[in-house]
Amino acid sequence: MSGFRQSVEAMIPALRRYARALARDADIADDLVQDTLVRALRSERLFLGGDIRSWLYTILTNLNKNRRRSLARRPQFMPLHDNNPDASGTEAEGRDIARALATLVEEQRAVLLLVMLEGLSYREVADIQGVPIGTVMSRLARARAHVKAALEGERPALRRVK
Amino acid sequence: MTDPKISVTEDELHAYVDNELPAERRGDVEAWLAAHPDDAERVASWRAMAQALHARYDGVANEPVPKRLELERLAQPPRKWLYGTIAASLLAFVAGGGAGWIAHGAAASPSTFQSFTADALDAHRLYVVEVRHPVEVPGSERAHLQAWLTKRCGWDVFAPELGSTGLKLVGGRLLPGPTGPASFLMYESPSGERFTVYTAKASTDKASAETTQMRFTSEANNGALFWADRGVGYVVSGTADRDRLTQVARMVYDQTEKNGG
């Protein structure tokens, strides 16, 4: 297997995690990852070095944007029940954070996840989204404030407990 | 050392949490947080948020990678059995496109024709290969079949006599159609050649008086002739041999016409 493929392969678990949090549905998330990988493999010869990790996150982020754009023109289907509440973490906590994420607009959710879950730098996220660093920082600040409010709104009793 | 009295901005708080802050400013921020409990509380809440995200989603990264995401698989040229799948989806595409084409110039909206003919061909493909249970009500109970389907569908469902073209009624079933129930009748020749007649409401009330010319579409071994008569759409599916199909469809058309539709 080529070095390129090995680098791509090593990223699959992280891409799945990011996609799951971004799309909030296990099947859609893996579809996104699959499309990302297919595109990456197809562009193998076009890839002239650089950061494969950022490049893969960029493809996935853009695919999700396109997906949501085409979804907006179609009737919405809601999953009958919460797909795959993950075993790790307490279930209630996991659901709270997932629900809070769901209230974010697309770009803010992507910034929040790329920084907080995937550990990318502001610079990398700015390149992925094709915006200045200042925009990344304001999106991140808004996303954090929004999620914080959503989490506290759901559990008002815990708000001031220290 | 920077002057610790320069107040810390919100951007700096975020940068501090995300390890984006220049090292020389970290001490200032820590001093600031010690003196400003509200900001300290925000910083703590962001850290808790990161922990919650990891607790919720890290499990996904630790799962074994599903087979369909294996690079070997994705990079491989499609295998033989895959060609079948691709061919099938191409066929579906062509059938859809064909239905779109035959709708071209017709009075009803393309989507009606499209979904209609596609549904009929799907049903045709699904049931003509069925040996033991191709129908719900056998052709031997023709009167009951007609009465039942008429009652359920809401228009006159008539099972034509196609004996003069060598076809015998196998029976029929009720299916979900594009806008409500659909009736599905199957005919068979002594050699096992099967034809199906699918009828469903062609459109909404607005165009209930709608009547169209007969249109032909085909894909691989299946052909279909579609027409609408007073708001009810008919699809006769069977062989791709257009002359043979037309002969059968003509007979269906003439008899339903005579029967009052």
Side-chain angles (χ1 to χ4, degrees):
Chain A
M1 201 188 275
S2 68
F4 173 86
R5 290 218 181 149
Q6 276 173 359
S7 311
V8 172
E9 186 163 52
M11 279 300 297
I12 296 176
L15 290 173
R16 291 188 70 227
R17 172 179 59 192
Y18 172 55
R20 183 80 62 91
L22 197 62
R24 287 161 291 132
D25 175 279
D27 290 331
I28 293 172
D30 278 345
D31 283 349
L32 279 171
V33 175
Q34 184 172 340
D35 289 349
T36 301
L37 297 174
V38 167
R39 253 165 225 243
L41 291 173
R42 211 188 290 151
S43 320
E44 178 170 357
R45 265 166 298 172
L46 298 175
F47 186 78
L48 306 168
D51 186 4
I52 288 185
R53 182 166 166 258
S54 283
W55 181 57
L56 292 171
Y57 281 122
T58 308
I59 299 176
L60 204 158
T61 304
N62 287 334
L63 283 174
N64 187 53
K65 211 193 299 171
N66 297 341
R67 177 186 70 86
R68 293 181 60 84
R69 218 176 271 151
S70 68
L71 266 186
R73 292 193 293 261
R74 255 181 264 156
Q76 302 276 320
F77 292 93
M78 303 305 291
L80 280 180
H81 28 230
D82 216 336
N83 249 348
N84 289 321
D86 283 8
S88 57
T90 72
E91 211 169 278
E93 190 186 3
R95 255 194 232 135
D96 285 351
I97 191 77
R99 211 175 294 151
L101 282 179
T103 65
L104 291 176
V105 297
E106 172 68 17
E107 313 84 62
Q108 288 181 20
R109 180 161 56 238
V111 170
L112 187 101
L113 293 173
L114 288 169
V115 171
M116 296 180 79
L117 188 60
E118 304 303 322
L120 269 61
S121 70
Y122 293 172
R123 175 76 261 160
E124 287 170 316
V125 178
D127 290 343
I128 286 170
Q129 293 199 322
V131 296
I133 282 194
T135 306
V136 168
M137 293 180 71
S138 65
R139 282 178 181 170
L140 179 64
R142 263 176 280 150
R144 274 181 169 147
H146 202 100
V147 168
K148 185 173 188 283
L151 289 175
E152 285 169 0
E154 272 182 10
R155 291 175 299 177
L158 294 182
R159 188 180 296 175
R160 284 287 151 201
V161 176
K162 292 225 167 131
Chain B
M1 193 74 181
T2 331
D3 183 355
K5 290 195 187 88
I6 297 177
S7 65
V8 169
T9 65
E10 173 168 349
D11 277 357
E12 282 181 307
L13 292 180
H14 287 285
Y16 171 72
V17 170
D18 298 321
N19 289 320
E20 297 260 348
L21 199 68
E24 65 271 17
R25 184 73 169 144
R26 289 193 72 85
D28 296 345
V29 172
E30 274 155 18
W32 173 273
L33 290 177
H36 296 82
D38 275 5
D39 282 346
E41 192 264 344
R42 276 205 293 168
V43 164
S45 79
W46 298 338
R47 291 200 158 127
M49 202 182 292
Q51 273 170 12
L53 280 172
H54 281 285
R56 172 68 179 80
Y57 293 108
D58 278 355
V60 180
N62 297 326
E63 287 169 9
V65 172
K67 284 251 184 299
R68 68 163 166 139
L69 298 182
E70 284 171 5
L71 288 189
E72 292 294 328
R73 215 168 256 263
L74 294 175
Q76 257 169 22
R79 287 192 207 118
K80 278 240 170 68
W81 62 267
L82 264 179
Y83 282 122
T85 318
I86 291 165
S89 50
L90 269 180
L91 276 186
F93 176 74
V94 168
W101 178 78
I102 61 165
H104 186 73
S109 71
S111 61
T112 312
F113 281 84
Q114 219 162 30
S115 64
F116 217 100
T117 317
D119 284 2
L121 274 167
D122 281 347
H124 178 79
R125 271 193 299 268
L126 184 64
Y127 290 115
V128 289
V129 297
E130 181 64 45
V131 178
R132 294 192 59 190
H133 307 292
V135 294
E136 283 174 282
V137 177
S140 54
E141 299 176 41
R142 182 186 290 260
H144 165 64
L145 176 65
Q146 291 180 158
W148 171 57
L149 288 175
T150 296
K151 185 162 165 254
R152 292 303 308 273
C153 293
W155 63 88
D156 240 338
V157 177
F158 171 71
E161 289 280 2
L162 305 177
S164 59
T165 67
L167 295 173
K168 190 169 159 275
L169 180 67
V170 178
R173 52 170 76 237
L174 188 68
L175 290 175
T179 60
S183 76
F184 183 77
L185 303 170
M186 188 183 291
Y187 291 82
E188 192 175 48
S189 75
S191 64
E193 182 192 26
R194 282 177 167 178
F195 287 82
T196 60
V197 180
Y198 175 99
T199 60
K201 268 268 176 283
S203 52
T204 49
D205 294 342
K206 194 185 82 184
S208 62
E210 192 169 73
T211 301
T212 67
Q213 287 185 313
M214 216 176 262
R215 315 255 165 184
F216 176 77
T217 184
S218 73
E219 38 105 300
N221 302 317
N222 298 316
L225 273 165
F226 172 96
W227 72 92
D229 192 7
R230 280 156 288 179
V232 177
Y234 294 78
V235 184
V236 174
S237 309
T239 170
D241 176 347
R242 196 170 168 165
D243 292 339
R244 172 72 170 138
L245 190 65
T246 307
Q247 181 197 21
V248 174
R250 179 69 58 194
M251 198 167 278
V252 174
Y253 177 80
D254 287 342
Q255 290 190 32
T256 49
E257 186 72 4
K258 232 177 272 164
N259 194 54

